[in-house]
């Protein structure tokens, strides 16, 4: 039986080769058609995947659509009047890991505050106003700067160890370095507290007057209203645009468990829901279009 089946396969192969040899032009054209068809299909699919990946990368780098802001409420309404809360939530580095574990859709969770003054000498009675960003993140420092497209001009970035300790080091914008006349290796003073400039960012058009320090070194150097320190804020970055709604819901459930039914009076969890919905629909339409072309 096996020998008979082998004979049939051999005879079928022989007949097929004879048929192909009898019509060489048709054979070549048919083979070419199959090759072009498969090549076109692969090209269209690859192009679609490439365009979608590029679009997602640009959305993540140039917009805050995938970001979810989590900020403490530092005022409360009493008899129709807004007054400052005495029990303002103070996020710490421990909250980074807690929120990250509670929201698996998060690519990173960051903690920070901003606002302060900077001077070249500790004897300066009045420094220059600067957007002083104090941050901690579940991402590496280099990855965090790369995600926001901040490029290093000279010196170095602070290390992950310096960010965790935290160390009195800072990375400043080129505009800050020019205004104060400092460079990498020099010392600057935030509210008369010394910080070593370890790096200066590359110059950018229209850049803001900014400096970056590790979270934890900023007690007494970040100010808000009436000289009081602004409470630090958490920022959650979703892995994909489509993950934002679920990530926001999980974050809300996390704070509901922590602060109870009145959690909305303690913290605000905000996402750009309108933009997220628009982008999600646009990506869906693109996928349908590429599927139709394929």
């Amino acid at each position: 039986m096996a020998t008979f089946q082998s004979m049939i396969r051999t005879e079928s192969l022989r007949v097929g080769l004879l048929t192909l040899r009898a019509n060489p032009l048709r054979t070549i054209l048919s083979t070419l058609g199959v090759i072009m068809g498969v090549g076109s299909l692969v090209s269209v699919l690859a192009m679609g995947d490439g365009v979608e990946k590029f679009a997602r990368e640009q959305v993540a780098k140039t917009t805050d659509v995938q970001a979810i802001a989590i900020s403490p409420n530092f005022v409360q309404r009493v008899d129709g009047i807004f007054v400052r809360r005495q029990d303002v939530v103070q996020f710490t580095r421990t909250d980074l890991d807690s929120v990250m574990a509670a929201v698996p859709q998060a690519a990173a969770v960051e903690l920070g505050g901003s606002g302060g003054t900077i001077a070249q000498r500790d004897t300066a009675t009045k420094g220059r106003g600067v957007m002083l960003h104090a941050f901690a993140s579940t991402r590496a420092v280099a990855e965090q700067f790369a995600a926001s497209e901040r490029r290093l001009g000279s010196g170095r970035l602070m290390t992950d160890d310096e960010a965790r300790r935290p160390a009195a080091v800072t990375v400043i914008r080129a505009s800050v370095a020019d205004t104060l006349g400092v460079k990498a290796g020099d010392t600057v003073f935030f509210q008369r507290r010394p910080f070593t400039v370890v790096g200066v960012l590359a110059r950018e058009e229209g850049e803001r007057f900014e400096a970056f320090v590790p979270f934890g070194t900023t007690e007494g150097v970040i100010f808000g209203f009436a000289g009081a320190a602004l409470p630090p804020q958490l920022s959650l970055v979703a892995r994909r645009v489509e993950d934002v709604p679920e990530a926001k819901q999980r974050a809300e459930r996390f704070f509901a468990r922590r602060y109870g039914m009145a959690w909305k009076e303690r913290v605000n969890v905000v996402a750009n829901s309108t933009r997220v919905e628009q982008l999600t629909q646009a990506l869906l339409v693109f996928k349908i279009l590429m599927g139709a072309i394929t």
Side-chain angles (χ1 to χ4, degrees), residues 11-88:
E11 182 63 20
S12 298
L13 179 60
R14 187 183 68 82
V15 172
L17 292 174
L18 289 174
T19 304
L20 293 175
R21 187 181 301 172
N23 301 280
L25 181 60
R26 182 182 300 174
T27 299
I28 293 173
L29 292 176
S30 297
T31 304
L32 184 61
V34 172
I35 293 173
M36 292 178 64
V38 173
S40 299
L41 179 61
V42 172
S43 298
V44 170
L45 291 175
M47 181 181 67
D49 289 344
V51 171
E52 181 180 352
K53 181 181 179 181
F54 176 77
R56 289 183 181 277
E57 289 176 349
Q58 292 302 306
V59 167
K61 288 182 179 179
T62 62
T63 72
D64 59 353
V65 174
Q66 291 173 223
I68 300 172
I70 305 171
S71 58
N73 276 327
F74 51 90
V75 296
Q76 61 182 337
R77 196 180 184 92
V78 179
D79 296 330
I81 305 296
F82 286 104
V83 298
R84 188 175 181 86
R85 298 186 68 98
Q86 300 301 314
D87 57 348
V88 177

Side-chain angles (χ1 to χ4, degrees), residues 68 103 105-106 236 238 243-252 269:
I68 300 172
V103 187
Q105 293 81 8
L236 186 154
D243 293 334
V244 172
E246 178 65 19
K248 182 174 181 291
Q249 291 177 6
R250 286 181 176 270
E252 290 174 342
V269 181

Side-chain angles (χ1 to χ4, degrees), residues 236-265:
L236 186 154
V237 183
R239 298 184 185 278
R240 304 182 308 156
V241 175
E242 294 87 346
D243 293 334
V244 172
E246 178 65 19
K248 182 174 181 291
Q249 291 177 6
R250 286 181 176 270
E252 290 174 342
R253 288 198 291 267
F254 170 80
F255 289 108
R257 290 193 300 270
R258 172 173 288 190
Y259 298 114
M261 296 295 293
W263 70 269
K264 291 184 179 180
E265 298 178 7

